[in-house]
Amino acid sequence: MSKTQSRMTRQRRVILEELCKVNTHPTADEVYTMVKGKLPNISLGTVYRNLDLLAENNQILKLETAGNTRRYDANIEPHSHVRCLSCGKVLDIPYIDTSKLDLKGDCLKDFNYMNVRVEIDGICADCAEKEKH
Amino acid sequence: MSKTQSRMTRQRRVILEELCKVNTHPTADEVYTMVKGKLPNISLGTVYRNLDLLAENNQILKLETAGNTRRYDANIEPHSHVRCLSCGKVLDIPYIDTSKLDLKGDCLKDFNYMNVRVEIDGICADCAEKEKH
DNA sequence: CTGCCTGCAAATAGTTTGCATTTGC
DNA sequence: GCAAATGCAAACTATTTGCAGGCAG
């Protein structure tokens, strides 16, 4: 509503385009590398600023998953994720309906929750393969 | 099985004791502050090393929740968590049974998952109060 | 023109690590 | 006595920010 105006700069457009091309869920640094192919002078700070802005505008998702490094997702349709504990990679799976879960607990009375999701951790096929050594 | 031997040092004992006293889910830095009251010379590196070791020995939990800072929990009984998006605080709620969730998706065939849990994000009572300004 | 946006570099936050010394068993 | 653990400081990784100049609308 009181949104500050946002300009479609070359940098922002290319960042969004590159993110849309992949179905991996790149980190800011990975996006930086991808975009640098098109805009060699772009800086990492700009990538961070734009990813955050795009996420605020709901054009992309800033993934709320455990793990050290934040990841971004151009797919804004409702869906769920699985995450590899070994390499940190995140994969898409169909949306998991959480509406029938039995949420209880005293503190939920005072806790205004707006986001309930399922997190699934494991080992991806690639890492399982590598561990056979 | 091939576990390296582990010594119960003063530092490790106090870290575990202090963590058991609280039902908040402190960050390594918060544990450091708590322990420093008892052992003024302890170093932050030692706190990190011991928290990791205790977690490996299943004496505490290294929390797998989204958020920038890792948190630790002395309560190793099965239970679930809610997390405040504003202050990052984590609260306990009774265990949410995920066994009846309908997990589907092609990639799950190759994905060896071992941990399914529910993440609940929202705004805690304290932060809701503060925002009334 | 105006002020949002950029590149750059420095700053910050969280965590890990190398090393000489200490300590549990 | 010896391996494991400690304190300290430096290194590292991920992210944010201040600033002077650049560009979209």
Side-chain angles (χ1 to χ4, degrees), chain B residues 10-75:
Chain B
R10 206 157 13 110
Q11 290 84 341
R12 188 163 307 156
R13 185 169 35 74
V14 174
I15 286 170
L16 184 53
E17 280 170 9
E18 293 298 304
L19 191 57
C20 284
K21 279 188 195 164
V22 297
N23 60 2
T24 62
H25 305 73
T27 62
D29 206 71
E30 287 164 352
V31 172
Y32 175 60
T33 305
M34 289 155 57
V35 171
K36 231 173 150 61
K38 300 277 177 70
L39 303 174
N41 292 324
I42 198 168
S43 79
L44 184 53
T46 298
V47 173
Y48 272 104
R49 277 185 282 231
N50 277 300
L51 289 172
D52 284 355
L53 252 164
L54 289 166
E56 268 174 42
N57 290 0
N58 302 310
Q59 297 181 267
I60 66 172
L61 292 179
K62 201 176 198 175
L63 292 193
E64 290 286 341
T65 50
N68 350 317
T69 312
R70 192 164 298 150
R71 290 170 178 278
Y72 299 84
D73 190 348
N75 177 7

